[in-house]
Amino acid sequence: MADTPKDHPTGGVDCRKCKHFHVTWDSKFPRGCKAMGFKTRQMPSMEVMKASGAPCLKFEAKPKRHSATSRRSRPKDTFEKSKRPRERRVNRWA
């Protein structure tokens, strides 16, 4: 992967890391940009670079997700089921 924006083939923007990027249902135009409002065959940032000659200005990073390790560090009792015995149901129709 490229280190600097000018070396990146899409002009410094990775659409997959943008919150506006989405995959469409259209097989002819499988990628889209919600901020710009279009669908395309290529990455949307490449289309923007071709059309304007400048990198995409609508890029916003996706929010960070919590990692699986942070879930494991919680106390065990938050994940365990209740320890009390299960109540038996009475069959009312018998």
Side-chain angles (χ1 to χ4, degrees):
M1 187 167 225
D3 294 327
T4 59
K6 63 184 177 184
D7 295 336
H8 199 277
T10 62
V13 178
D14 185 3
C15 288
R16 290 172 293 203
K17 295 179 181 176
C18 180
K19 74 178 191 177
H20 302 297
F21 176 74
H22 67 103
V23 177
T24 69
W25 57 269
D26 193 345
S27 61
K28 292 181 182 178
F29 304 103
R31 298 171 190 95
C33 176
K34 292 178 185 176
M36 298 273 197
F38 69 92
K39 298 184 289 186
T40 180
R41 290 182 188 155
Q42 298 178 347
M43 292 304 265
S45 58
M46 291 182 80
E47 291 291 332
V48 170
M49 182 62 98
K50 270 194 221 175
S52 68
C56 181
L57 300 175
K58 299 281 187 174
F59 177 82
E60 289 182 47
K62 288 182 183 178
K64 298 281 183 182
R65 295 176 122 191
H66 294 291
S67 66
T69 56
S70 67
R71 281 187 246 137
R72 289 186 195 134
S73 63
R74 292 185 198 162
K76 251 187 173 178
D77 61 300
T78 58
F79 290 108
E80 291 180 11
K81 292 184 179 178
S82 176
K83 301 257 182 186
R84 67 179 183 189
R86 196 170 172 188
E87 295 177 16
R88 291 187 173 199
R89 291 187 173 196
V90 177
N91 189 353
R92 297 181 197 183
W93 308 106

